[in-house]
Amino acid sequence: MTLPEKTSAGDVAAAFEERFGFPPAGVWAAPGRVNLLGEHTDYVGGFVLPVALPQQTYAAVGLRYDGILSCASTLTDERVELPVSELAPGSVRNWAAYPAGVVWALRSARHDVGGADVLIGGDVPLGAGLSSSAALECALGLALDELHGLHLGRAELALMCQHAENAFVGMPSGVMDQMASLCCQENYALYLDCRSLKGELIPFALAEHDLELLVIDTRVAHKLVSGAYADRRMSVEEAAMALGVRSLRDVTTGELGSALDKVDERLRPRTRHVVTENARVGIAVDLMRGGYYAALGQLMTMSHASLRDDYEVSCPELDTAVDTAMQAGALGARMTGGGFGGCAIALVPSAQRTSVEQAVTAAFAEQGFRAPHVFSVTASAGAQRAQ
């Protein structure tokens, strides 16, 4: 896994014309995301707090009228051609399952979507837990929405893209990634209720506070379609059934003690994480409104401990990144994304940015890990037509 070179809409448009022999109808862009707080809470209808990344995935698209979806990527010379009428869950096993899934989801909802030529490119790191798959889905979904005049709302389109990932690709994720990619705005975090899909933009202009958000890519690729992620989701669903609630989102921290007494011992740590993580998101929003970023950092670190100990989705590289960043002066740090690899984030004073990066890099070398990629990000805008 390497950090992609900076890519522009023009680069992807030129690659499309070279590959297909004519210019695209347009290029659409959707960002990756990092989640400040609210991990593994979206699929219980809970609360999350993501920001969109400056890094984008681009979809250059042209319509075709022979019923064929032709998918290409700047990362490979391969072109995958699929009859749209034959798309079905499990029918596509490689990377093309993501664009194919979006077409299938729209058609399953009785939208008149036919064939297309699609070229995917961009600079969202792959396999790093920064939601490159959702960015791809949202860029293509937005393109097809515009080209076919579907006039879908952002939340409706996010649900379509989530359905593509859940039912077609086979990843049982929540809707946070797609909502973040489609609905975030520059200098704001998205406070999202994943049950109602109601969102509120919370100011997150760190430069005004002499702060930076560092992403520490551990370069440990995570593969969430494997059983560990699905096992966590089944555990919290089982706990909700035992408690007689719709989901663990409906259990408050005040009810947590009695709830833990009612669930099987093996489910207690998972239950504790989800309930306390939901509460941390609400507290974080109040702190951000008041500009209390040091306290926000403490919540981030508490979240990591919960993900590490109760939800057991961290790994040695993520723990090293978090612990070292804190020792080097970060206000807070945590893993972000589904876990089992991927990235950590650290909220750091701008004056400490270099020392934190150097300390993490040195700690990885001392542990014999691959050198991490460390880069600063700002809260950026959601998906849009780029060309």
Side-chain angles (χ1 to χ4, degrees):
M1 176 170 51
T2 59
L3 198 64
E5 294 182 3
K6 182 65 177 175
T7 304
S8 71
D11 296 333
V12 178
F16 180 101
E17 186 165 2
E18 180 180 352
R19 194 75 62 94
F20 290 101
F22 52 87
V27 181
W28 287 260
R33 65 93 191 95
V34 292
N35 192 22
L36 301 177
L37 278 166
E39 218 66 76
H40 288 276
T41 55
D42 59 343
Y43 51 74
V44 300
F47 300 94
V48 294
L49 193 61
V51 297
L53 297 175
Q55 287 78 9
Q56 304 279 323
T57 293
Y58 296 98
V61 183
L63 294 181
R64 53 190 296 169
Y65 302 95
D66 58 357
I68 298 297
L69 175 64
S70 183
C71 301
S73 166
T74 58
L75 297 179
T76 175
D77 294 330
E78 176 187 24
R79 188 190 299 185
V80 180
E81 297 198 340
L82 305 162
V84 296
S85 62
E86 298 178 14
L87 294 176
S91 63
V92 185
R93 295 293 185 181
N94 57 16
W95 69 271
Y98 292 96
V102 174
V103 173
W104 170 83
L106 290 168
R107 287 173 59 86
S108 297
R110 302 189 182 280
H111 295 295
D112 188 17
V113 174
D117 293 314
V118 177
L119 180 77
I120 302 296
D123 52 15
V124 181
L126 304 180
L130 300 178
S131 199
S132 58
S133 60
L136 185 162
E137 294 156 3
C138 293
L140 179 56
L142 198 64
L144 296 175
D145 176 75
E146 181 176 331
L147 292 173
H148 288 284
L150 303 181
H151 305 295
L152 299 176
R154 292 286 173 122
E156 185 178 4
L157 185 57
L159 288 171
M160 292 284 178
C161 293
Q162 181 203 14
H163 186 51
E165 188 149 341
N166 290 174
F168 196 91
V169 178
M171 171 61 197
S173 59
V175 74
M176 173 186 67
D177 294 349
Q178 292 82 5
M179 284 292 290
S181 190
L182 285 164
C183 300
C184 279
Q185 291 189 20
E186 186 176 3
N187 290 325
Y188 288 89
L190 178 65
Y191 176 35
L192 178 67
D193 180 336
C194 293
R195 176 176 289 172
S196 69
L197 296 190
K198 291 181 179 179
E200 180 183 353
L201 293 169
I202 308 299
F204 194 65
L206 291 181
E208 297 177 3
H209 300 271
D210 295 321
L211 296 171
E212 293 188 34
L213 186 66
L214 294 187
V215 175
I216 304 166
D217 182 353
T218 66
R219 303 178 72 193
V220 177
H222 69 171
K223 293 179 170 58
L224 294 183
V225 179
S226 61
Y229 185 98
D231 174 73
R232 299 304 187 279
R233 181 162 185 168
M234 289 184 348
S235 293
V236 296
E237 289 172 353
E238 185 179 345
M241 289 181 61
L243 294 171
V245 295
R246 181 176 173 184
S247 80
L248 291 183
R249 175 250 173 83
D250 299 307
V251 180
T252 68
T253 52
E255 299 165 336
L256 180 57
S258 61
L260 294 178
D261 290 337
K262 296 174 184 176
V263 300
D264 188 275
E265 185 175 357
R266 64 188 172 81
L267 302 177
R268 290 173 188 168
R270 312 291 190 246
T271 302
R272 181 167 50 240
H273 167 72
V274 170
V275 174
T276 58
E277 185 77 351
N278 265 325
R280 280 188 285 270
V281 174
I283 297 168
V285 168
D286 289 337
L287 293 172
M288 290 166 65
R289 289 184 179 127
Y292 300 115
Y293 284 101
L296 172 65
Q298 293 174 7
L299 285 179
M300 292 169 61
T301 307
M302 291 169 62
S303 172
H304 182 77
S306 181
L307 288 159
R308 180 194 64 213
D309 300 335
D310 281 346
Y311 225 62
E312 297 182 288
V313 290
S314 190
C315 67
E317 290 86 352
L318 286 169
D319 294 340
T320 296
V322 168
D323 293 344
T324 306
M326 292 299 298
Q327 293 164 8
L331 300 181
R334 65 184 291 272
M335 57 155 279
T336 188
F340 311 106
C343 292
I345 55 174
L347 183 64
V348 303
S350 297
Q352 301 295 114
R353 184 242 191 272
T354 299
S355 60
V356 170
E357 178 177 357
Q358 291 175 343
V360 170
T361 301
F364 270 53
E366 183 178 341
Q367 294 291 328
F369 301 150
R370 295 178 68 189
H373 290 134
V374 184
F375 52 100
S376 180
V377 298
T378 56
S380 300
Q384 57 194 307
R385 182 165 183 156
Q387 182 172 311

